[in-house]
Every structure is written in structure tokens, then in C-alpha cells.
Amino acid sequence: CMLPEVKNSSEVYGYTDKFGSKIPIAGIAGDQQAALFGQLCFDEGDVKNTYGTGNFILMNTGNKPAASRNGLITTIASSIDGNVNYALEGSVFVGGAVIQWLRDEMRFFSSAKDADYLGSKLMSSDGVYFVPSFTGMGAPHWDMYARGAVYGLTRGTTREHIIRAALEGIAFQSMDVIKVDGGASASCPIMQFQADITGKRLIKPVIAETTALGAAFLAGLAVGFWKDKDELKSSWVLEKTYEPKMDKKAAEKLIKGWNKAVLCTKIFAEK
């Protein structure tokens, strides 16, 4: 009796006249659930990845909850007219935050945009791997004791190599994605490298802030601004597509190196 009443994600909960007119409050969803809806991932198997301070991968699993055997979280995606959709979620704790760290703590550059420029000056990180587990590792490792590490340093390693490795580290942590959004999705090097190592096409919408868009979609459906999900699909506009360009064997070699770096980080964290 102490808990709030369960409601749909899309219905009118009440009104506010704070701004001089009666405005309905009609859409509610968690951060990543809203982004999943904003990316129009309505069908079972649809996947999106949000690149923000952290990375968050969600996959729509339909109207039945699915238990993960690989360290993912089972969650409710959204509910409309009593029909509940579920999702699997993988949380990466440090995504774009590693770029902020390089800017603010290491002072490698003065603007986050410079990371793309400096990282793009090199074709690769030349064997350097950056595991940005500053606050532990999220899915699928769930190791709270892990800490950030850089591997493969040589006398020839430069600032640009470390920046490039940091950009690649963001992508390595999210290796199975289709739709992308969030602030760090504006980084062409990250998105292209993500497509290369996954061997998948990435599609990015014009509106990258899909969390707010998803909440607006849910509210709009509730008040009749949009008729149905099919009408929502017509409002989603593609900005850019990233196709895999890297040779498959080269990608496999890079992934093998990343897995070794993660293993070493986890071993170092053991008590």
C-alpha cells in the first residue's frame, strides 16, 4: 500500500497549470527505456546503443521477460494499453566519460571535440589498449574491483596513441549494436571503429538525444498527437550510416587483444 500505483508508460497521469494553461503529464519511462522507444525499437530483436557518459545497450525481447546467460539485466522496456514489452540491458559504466577524463584530469586537449581530431591522425592505436574501468566493469563482467588500465605502451607511444586507444575502448565495450545515439555517437572515429569490429551496419538518427524523444513519443501517443507507432516511424530521420570497412581477420586480431587487456585488468583487481 506504500508503493505507487502501476501505470502504463503512455497515458495521462494528471495535469499542471503552472504555465498558465492545463498541460497533461502523459509519458513516463526510465532513461534507457525512453531511448529504446525513441529509437523506434518496437519489435522483438531490435537493439540500440546509447553513447553517453556510459554506454547502454538495450534489446527489445518482446512481451515475455528473457533471462540472460551472459550477464545482461532483464528489465521492462515500456507498456502501452496494458501490453508490456521487455528488454535485455547491458550497462557499460565508462563511455564518453573517458574523454572527459583525458580532457580534465590528464589535460591532453582543451575540448572533447579535439579527441576526434587527434585520434584520427593515426590509422590505429599501434597495439595500445585502454580499458577505462575507472569505477569497475559493467556488463558482462560485473567486476566492481577493476580499475582503469593502459596496455601495450612502448617508447614510441604518443599522446595520440592513448587518445586513439581511449576512443577504441568505448567501442570495444559495446560490440553488438545496431542503432546508436547519445553525445559520443557524434564521434565518427568511434562509430566507424564500432562498425568495423562488430561487422555490423550502424545507423544514427538526426536527433541524437533520443531519451527525450522517446518520452515525447510516449506522451504524444497518450494525448493523440500521434495516432500509432507506425506514424512515429515516419518521423524518425536517418542522419548517417556506418558500414564495416575493416578486414574480418584484422578485426578478430584487435578483439583478441582487447580481451587479453580486459583479462589482465580483472587479474590485477583480484584480492
Side-chain angles (χ1 to χ4, degrees):
C1 64
M2 295 173 63
L3 297 175
E5 184 181 350
V6 175
K7 294 284 189 178
N8 288 304
S9 306
S10 177
E11 65 176 275
V12 177
Y13 315 108
Y15 296 86
T16 176
D17 58 2
K18 184 176 178 63
F19 302 102
S21 59
K22 195 175 180 181
I23 301 171
I25 301 170
I28 187 168
D31 189 347
Q32 299 310 317
Q33 286 82 357
L36 186 72
F37 200 85
Q39 282 280 32
L40 307 182
C41 295
F42 301 147
D43 299 321
E44 185 176 341
D46 286 349
V47 183
K48 70 88 191 171
N49 191 23
T50 297
Y51 297 80
T53 303
N55 296 356
F56 298 90
I57 308 99
L58 266 74
M59 181 178 75
N60 187 324
T61 59
N63 57 11
K64 292 183 180 180
S68 173
R69 290 173 289 182
N70 299 290
L72 301 180
I73 298 168
T74 301
T75 183
I76 290 177
S78 61
S79 59
I80 299 176
D81 296 329
N83 297 314
V84 179
N85 263 36
Y86 295 86
L88 285 173
E89 178 177 356
S91 305
V92 174
F93 296 152
V94 177
V98 70
I99 303 303
Q100 297 170 355
W101 179 78
L102 289 174
R103 179 193 64 195
D104 299 337
E105 274 68 47
M106 302 307 290
R107 299 183 182 178
F108 275 17
F109 39 77
S110 57
S111 170
K113 293 181 180 179
D114 294 337
D116 277 4
Y117 170 73
L118 294 168
S120 298
K121 292 174 71 175
L122 303 172
M123 294 300 293
S124 74
S125 61
D126 199 19
V128 177
Y129 288 89
F130 195 145
V131 185
S133 47
F134 299 147
T135 55
M137 288 183 180
H141 311 285
W142 299 115
D143 187 338
M144 300 302 102
Y145 298 102
R147 291 296 178 263
V150 182
Y151 299 97
L153 298 176
T154 68
R155 182 61 183 83
T157 299
T158 65
R159 172 185 62 163
E160 285 77 11
H161 286 110
I162 295 175
I163 293 170
R164 175 82 189 192
L167 295 173
E168 292 178 356
I170 294 172
F172 273 127
Q173 293 178 98
S174 306
M175 285 198 200
D176 192 16
V177 294
I178 297 176
K179 293 183 175 180
V180 300
D181 61 82
S185 67
S187 170
C188 290
I190 295 175
M191 295 298 98
Q192 185 58 56
F193 190 74
Q194 186 77 85
D196 288 341
I197 61 173
T198 58
K200 297 180 183 296
R201 176 189 296 119
L202 269 64
I203 56 177
K204 178 179 178 293
V206 168
I207 300 177
E209 300 302 328
T210 53
T211 294
L213 182 64
F217 279 165
L218 289 166
L221 286 173
V223 300
F225 187 83
W226 289 288
K227 182 175 63 175
D228 51 31
K229 291 179 180 179
D230 288 335
E231 188 175 350
L232 291 181
K233 291 179 180 179
S234 65
S235 66
W236 193 94
V237 181
L238 175 70
E239 180 182 271
K240 192 166 185 177
T241 300
Y242 294 89
E243 299 283 353
K245 296 180 181 179
M246 187 180 292
D247 177 75
K248 186 177 179 181
K249 288 186 176 179
E252 289 174 349
K253 183 178 179 181
L254 288 171
I255 292 170
K256 183 179 179 180
W258 169 257
N259 289 335
K260 287 169 63 178
V262 169
L263 177 62
C264 290
T265 302
K266 293 171 74 173
I267 292 172
F268 182 80
E270 289 179 357
K271 291 188 174 180

